[in-house]
C-alpha cells in the first residue's frame, strides 16, 4: 500500500494515541513562538473584503494544531487592530493525509463564536475563524492558486513520501539489511534517504509557491540534526535506532518474525542538516529565506516522575508507538505490535537515566516568503 494512503499518527484517545503523547511537541512548538511572531509580523495585512487564510500542513489529530492556528489568527487580528484596519474574516485549513484521525481533531475544535473581534481575542471557548479539513499529501498541490496567507507546518516535513526503493532492494548497496532506520547505516542508504527528503521538499516548495499569496509567509519546523554526517540522526536515531531496533531484533531471535520481515520495514523519517534544507530552497528559487536555524527542542519524553524508570520506559514506548504504531500494525499485525512495544518499554526502562540525559531533539526552523 502506498505510504500516503496509510501513514498517520495514532488516532483516538488511547494510552498510545498521538493526542495523549504529543505534550513534548506542544512544549517545543511553544518555545518557538517568538520566531513565529517574527514571521507573522512580516505578513501583509488583508483588506476587510478578502478572507485571511491560514493552513496547517501535517496537522495530525491533537490539540496542538488548534492552539497554533488560534495563536496565528489572534496575532494577525491584533496587527489589523493596531493598524486601524477593519479585520477580515479568517479561515483555517487543517491538512493531513487521508488516514489522519480528523474526527478526533474536529471534536476538539471549539464552536465558531460569531462575536466581535475584541470578544474573540479574549475568548478561549469559541473560535474566531471558519475551519475545514483538507486531506492529501503536502508534497503535491492542496489549494487553489494564490489563496493562502500563512502556511504553518511543524514536526511533519521529516516524514518522507516513501521509503526509497533501493533501501528495500537486496541487490542494492543501499539495502538496509538488519536495520529498521538509517541511524548508523551505510553511506549509500543514508544518501538514498537524503535524496528522497530533498526531492520531497522540492515538491513541497513548488506546490506552496503556487498556492501562497504575494505578501504571505511560511513557517516550517522539522526534525534536524547538528552533525554533518547523515548516518548520525541525533534524537531520531536514539528514538528509532536503539531500543526500538533492539525490540525488532528480539522478535527475530525469538522466531516471532523472520529477519526478512524486519528488513522490509523502515521508518520513513530523515532528520536533515541545515545544508540539506538550504540546498533545496536555493535550487528551487521561488522562496527567499528570512530565517533558517537549528533550534534545540528538548526531550520527547514528558514524565511526571523522572525517578520512575518504568514510567520513562512506558513514555518512550508510547511516544514511539504514537508516531510509528500505524505503520508497525500494518506490517506485523496488532498482536505482534503489542509484543514489540512491550519490549521497547522494557528495554527503555533498563536505560531510563541514559534516555533522560541523552534523548534530545533538534529542529530545523525556517521562515520563507516568495522571492
Amino acid at each position: 500500500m502506498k505510504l500516503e494512503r496509510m501513514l498517520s499518527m495514532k488516532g483516538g484517545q488511547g494510552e498510545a494515541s498521538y493526542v495523549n503523547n504529543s505534550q513534548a511537541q506542544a512544549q517545543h512548538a511553544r518555545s518557538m513562538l517568538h520566531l513565529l511572531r517574527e514571521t507573522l509580523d512580516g505578513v501583509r495585512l488583508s483588506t476587510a473584503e478578502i478572507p485571511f487564510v491560514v493552513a496547517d500542513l501535517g496537522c495530525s489529530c491533537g490539540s496542538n494544531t488548534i492552539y497554533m492556528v488560534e495563536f496565528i489568527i489572534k496575532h494577525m487580528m491584533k496587527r489589523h487592530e493596531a493598524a486601524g484596519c477593519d479585520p477580515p474574516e479568517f479561515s483555517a485549513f487543517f491538512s493531513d493525509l487521508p488516514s489522519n484521525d480528523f474526527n478526533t481533531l474536529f471534536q476538539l475544535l471549539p464552536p465558531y463564536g460569531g462575536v466581535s473581534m475584541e470578544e474573540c481575542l479574549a475568548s478561549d471557548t469559541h473560535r474566531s475563524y471558519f475551519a475545514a479539513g483538507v486531506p492529501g499529501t503536502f508534497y503535491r498541490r492542496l489549494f487553489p492558486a494564490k489563496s493562502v496567507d500563512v502556511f504553518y507546518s511543524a514536526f511533519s516535513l521529516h516524514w518522507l513520501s516513501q521509503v526509497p526503493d533501493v533501501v528495500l532492494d537486496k541487490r542494492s548497496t543501499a539495502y538496509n539489511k538488519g536495520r529498521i532506520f538509517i541511524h548508523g547505516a551505510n553511506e549509500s542508504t543514508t544518501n538514498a534517504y537524503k535524496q528522497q527528503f530533498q526531492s520531497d521538499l522540492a515538491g513541497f516548495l513548488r506546490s506552496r509557491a503556487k498556492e501562497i499569496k504575494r505578501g504571505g509567509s511560511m513557517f516550517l519546523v522539522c526534525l534536524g540534526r547538528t552533525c554533518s554526517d547523515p548516518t548520525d540522526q541525533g534524537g531520531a536515531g536514539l528514538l528509532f535506532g536503539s531500543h526500538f531496533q533492539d525490540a525488532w531484533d528480539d522478535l527475530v531471535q525469538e522466531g516471532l518474525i523472520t529477519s526478512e520481515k524486519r528488513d522490509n520495514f523502515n521508518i520513513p523519517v530523515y532528520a536533515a542538516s541545515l545544508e540539506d534544507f538550504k540546498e533545496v530552497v536555493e535550487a528551487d528559487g521561488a522562496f527567499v529565506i528570512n530565517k533558517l536555524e537549528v533550534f534545540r527542542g528538548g526531550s520527547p519524553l514528558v514524565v511526571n516522575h523522572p525517578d520512575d524508570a518504568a514510567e520513562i520506559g512506558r513514555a518512550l514506548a508510547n511516544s514511539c508507538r504514537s508516531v510509528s504504531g500505524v505503520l508497525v500494525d500494518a506490517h506485523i499485525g496488532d498482536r505482534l505490535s503489542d509484543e514489540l512495544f512491550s519490549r521497547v518499554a522494557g528495554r527503555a526502562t533498563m536505560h531510563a537515566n541514559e534516555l533522560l540525559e541523552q534523548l534530545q531533539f533538534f529542529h530545523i526552523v525556517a521562515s520563507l516568503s516568495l522571492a
Side-chain angles (χ1 to χ4, degrees):
M1 184 184 291
K2 290 188 70 174
L3 191 62
E4 70 179 69
R5 301 302 303 177
M6 62 187 291
L7 176 62
S8 69
M9 302 301 96
K10 198 162 185 66
Q13 300 191 41
E15 182 186 356
S17 67
Y18 188 79
V19 167
N20 288 322
N21 291 278
S22 52
Q23 300 95 328
Q25 290 91 326
Q27 292 176 3
H28 299 183
R30 294 181 192 197
S31 68
M32 304 174 201
L33 288 179
H34 62 292
L35 301 175
L36 177 56
R37 282 191 197 96
E38 290 177 11
T39 295
L40 297 176
D41 285 341
V43 174
R44 182 182 297 171
L45 299 179
S46 286
T47 62
E49 298 79 28
I50 302 174
F52 189 97
V53 178
V54 178
D56 184 351
L57 306 181
C59 63
S60 192
C61 55
S63 59
N64 292 349
T65 180
I66 297 170
Y67 179 91
M68 298 309 301
V69 162
E70 289 185 349
F71 177 88
I72 292 168
I73 288 174
K74 286 186 176 182
H75 187 86
M76 294 309 300
M77 278 185 168
K78 291 173 184 175
R79 281 196 59 210
H80 280 87
E81 184 180 43
C85 303
D86 290 335
E89 291 188 316
F90 289 86
S91 290
F93 291 105
F94 297 91
S95 181
D96 212 315
L97 294 173
S99 48
N100 183 56
D101 186 1
F102 283 104
N103 285 336
T104 292
L105 172 60
F106 293 151
Q107 286 167 10
L108 295 172
L109 271 177
Y112 178 69
V115 292
S116 69
M117 183 171 71
E118 291 76 11
E119 290 174 300
C120 285
L121 289 172
S123 173
D124 289 323
T125 58
H126 289 80
R127 57 185 161 89
S128 51
Y129 55 91
F130 298 97
V134 179
T137 173
F138 53 37
Y139 294 127
R140 295 195 293 272
R141 288 286 302 274
L142 290 165
F143 303 97
K146 298 179 177 63
S147 64
V148 179
D149 294 276
V150 175
F151 280 112
Y152 174 85
S153 180
F155 319 123
S156 297
L157 277 166
H158 48 261
W159 288 97
L160 306 179
S161 66
Q162 65 179 60
V163 174
D165 291 337
V166 291
V167 171
L168 301 173
D169 184 353
K170 292 181 181 179
R171 300 163 298 178
S172 169
T173 58
Y175 181 52
N176 200 21
K177 182 176 176 58
R179 299 180 187 277
I180 50 87
F181 189 47
I182 59 165
H183 186 71
N186 68 47
E187 187 177 353
S188 296
T189 308
T190 52
N191 280 341
Y193 263 66
K194 175 184 173 180
Q195 290 167 15
Q196 186 66 55
F197 170 81
Q198 292 192 316
S199 172
D200 286 343
L201 181 59
F204 177 92
L205 294 176
R206 283 194 300 272
S207 297
R208 304 296 85 76
K210 292 180 171 67
E211 296 165 350
I212 197 167
K213 294 179 186 177
R214 176 64 62 180
S217 285
M218 291 202 296
F219 187 81
L220 311 175
V221 181
C222 64
L223 276 181
R225 65 177 198 273
T226 55
C227 177
S228 60
D229 179 6
T231 66
D232 181 354
Q233 286 284 292
L238 194 52
L239 182 66
F240 293 124
S242 58
H243 306 306
F244 189 49
Q245 172 73 58
D246 292 340
W248 281 91
D249 295 342
D250 287 345
L251 297 190
V252 173
Q253 290 162 12
E254 294 169 31
L256 296 174
I257 62 171
T258 63
S259 59
E260 187 174 22
K261 189 73 171 176
R262 174 199 58 201
D263 296 347
N264 282 335
F265 181 86
N266 278 259
I267 293 289
V269 164
Y270 181 76
S273 68
L274 275 184
E275 194 57 35
D276 293 339
F277 198 99
K278 187 178 180 182
E279 283 175 6
V280 180
V281 178
E282 291 183 341
D284 175 80
F287 290 92
V288 294
I289 298 172
N290 302 316
K291 185 178 286 291
L292 181 63
E293 64 180 67
V294 173
F295 188 91
R296 180 171 179 157
S299 173
L301 303 180
V302 177
V303 293
N304 296 319
H305 305 98
D307 55 346
D308 184 341
E311 183 184 355
I312 293 167
R314 287 193 302 274
L316 182 88
N318 286 336
S319 177
C320 205
R321 193 168 197 173
S322 71
V323 298
S324 68
V326 169
L327 297 180
V328 175
D329 292 350
H331 193 69
I332 60 175
D334 294 354
R335 184 182 64 80
L336 284 175
S337 186
D338 288 341
E339 291 277 354
L340 177 77
F341 287 105
S342 174
R343 284 160 172 73
V344 173
R347 286 182 167 277
T349 297
M350 292 188 289
H351 298 86
N353 290 337
E354 171 192 329
L355 283 168
L356 279 185
E357 292 171 5
Q358 298 181 11
L359 185 52
Q360 298 287 321
F361 278 178
F362 288 85
H363 305 290
I364 289 177
V365 180
S367 174
L368 310 177
S369 52
L370 284 174

